[in-house]
Amino acid sequence: GKPTPQFFREIAEKTLLVGLSSTVFRDAECTSHEVPIDDAQMEWFENLVKEKPSSEGWKIFVFTHAPPNGSGLRVLQENHVVNGCCWLNHSNEAQCRKFIELVREHRSIKGWFSGHFHLGQDYQDSITFPTIDPSEGPYPNRGSCVFAQTSVMRGGTSRDGRQQSRLLRGNKDGFEICTVDHQRDGHIRLDATITYRDDSHEVGVYAHDDEAYEHDDYFKVYTPQVGDEGYVCGAEEEELCMITDDVISFDTVAWWQLGCGRVLGVLNGMLLEYDKSTLAPLGLVVSADELIGKRVAVVDSGIEECEINFDEPGMEGADCADIDDSREQAIIMYDENNIVTVIQPNEDGSYWRKIVRNKIARMKERRREKAAIEFAEEMLGVESENIKEQVFSSWGPYTSTSGVAKSTGVDGITSPKEFNGVVYKN
C-alpha cells in the first residue's frame, strides 16, 4: 500500500499530480458517505501549494473522491444534498470551505478532478471553468482552477447508465479534458480545451453542447446567484420579512440571507441551507412533507436587555456573555390555522440537519432490531404478520436506520408541543 494517504507526482517540468484520500469510514461522525480529508493531509496540501506558486510556473492538478464546496459541479439534491455529503469535509463548516479558499489564493491549482456522484460526463456542467461570460451570471471566484466530474466505469454503479472516465491531455498551450466512453470500446471525446493566458489566468472552451437528456431525473440543484429573480430582499436587515406571499409549493423558488450572513432557500418544497461564501447547497433544513402548504417569515428575536439569572449562583448575567454585534433572528413556519413552528439553528449556528449518521452505526441498529423481533416472536408469542406493528426503535434526533434523509420530523419527539400559545419543535 501507499506510505501515506496523500501523494504527488511531478509528471512534467513544474507540473504536479496531487491526490488526497479519505481515511475515515467506520468512525465518521455523520453519514459514512461523507468524504473527509484529515487535518494532517490538509496541512500537507496547504504547505505544498504555498511552496509551488504560479509565479514560478507551477501547475497543480488535484484528484479527490468528492469535489470541494464551490466547484459548481452538478449534484443530486435527493441524495447528496439532503444527506449532507456533497463536498469534501461537508459536515465541518470551516474545513468544507477551506479547499475553495486555497484554490482562490493559490493560482497554481489548475485542475481538480473528482467523482462521488456516480453521474456521467455528458452534462456540460460536469466541467466548470474559473471564469464565465458575465451574461451567464456573477464571477464564480474559482481562482485559476477547472473542476471536472468523473463518472464510473462499471454499469452497476452508475446513476444514469453512463460508463465513462476522464482523460487529461496536456499540450504546449494548456490542457484538454476528454471522456473515455467504456460503452463504446473506449471511444475518446474531447470535452473542453483550456488555454493558459499567463501563469494565473486561462480561457476554457466547451467542445460540445450538453449531451445529456435526462435532466428531469438528474437535474442540477438550483444554486442562488446574486441578483437573480429568486432573491428575497430584506431578510438580512428588516425586523419582519415575509418570504413568500403565497403558501410554499413544489414550484416555489426563493432564497434569502440572514443578518448573520447565513443563506437559506426554498426549492422543490424543501428548505435548504447554502454556503454563505460560495452559495453551494449544504443540506436539508425542513423537508417537503413539513413545509409544503405553509408560509415562512423571518423576524427579529434579539433581546433588548440581558436576562439576569438569580436562581443559579455564579450565572448572574450569563445571557449577556454570548451577545455579539450580529442581529438575532427567528425563522418561523406557519400554516393556515396559525400554528407556528420555530426553525431553530444547530448549536454551531448552521441550520441544515445532520440527521444521517454512520453506516456502521445503522448496521448495528438493524441487528438490534432483528434481535428484538426474534425476542418478540419467540418469547412473547407475537405473530410474524403483526411484528412490524409491535416492535419499535427509539433514537435521539434520528428517525430510522435509513441512510437517506426523507423527513426532518420525528414522531413523538418533534411533534408539536404547545407552550404559551406557540408551537415549538424540540
Side-chain angles (χ1 to χ4, degrees), residues 27-42:
D27 297 328
E29 182 177 353
C30 297
T31 171
S32 50
H33 293 290
E34 184 183 4
V35 183
I37 303 298
D38 59 61
D39 292 343
Q41 288 188 83
M42 293 182 71

Side-chain angles (χ1 to χ4, degrees), residues 22 43 56-57 59 113 145 164 199 220 268 273 284 301 311 323 351 355 358 363 371 424:
S22 173
E43 182 180 2
E56 296 180 6
K59 296 173 177 60
F113 293 78
C145 184
Q164 301 166 325
D199 290 335
K220 180 181 180 180
N268 292 340
E273 182 171 6
L284 178 68
S301 62
D311 298 326
I323 292 180
Y351 280 86
I355 55 179
N358 187 279
M363 289 172 56
Y424 287 88

Side-chain angles (χ1 to χ4, degrees), residues 319-385:
D319 287 345
C320 302
D322 294 329
I323 292 180
D324 55 28
D325 294 333
S326 63
R327 290 169 54 244
E328 189 177 290
Q329 295 173 295
I331 304 170
I332 62 173
M333 176 176 65
Y334 61 101
D335 62 16
E336 60 184 5
N337 297 317
N338 296 329
I339 302 298
V340 177
T341 300
V342 179
I343 302 172
Q344 301 281 11
N346 303 313
E347 290 185 4
D348 62 2
S350 66
Y351 280 86
W352 68 275
R353 305 315 193 195
K354 302 169 185 179
I355 55 179
V356 176
R357 63 265 184 257
N358 187 279
K359 182 183 292 184
I360 303 302
R362 289 185 279 112
M363 289 172 56
K364 292 179 180 179
E365 289 169 350
R366 284 194 290 269
R367 288 198 291 267
R368 295 185 189 106
E369 289 179 342
K370 182 179 178 181
I373 289 173
E374 293 175 351
F375 173 84
E377 289 176 333
E378 297 174 7
M379 303 299 294
L380 305 181
V382 177
E383 299 292 335
S384 58
E385 58 268 22

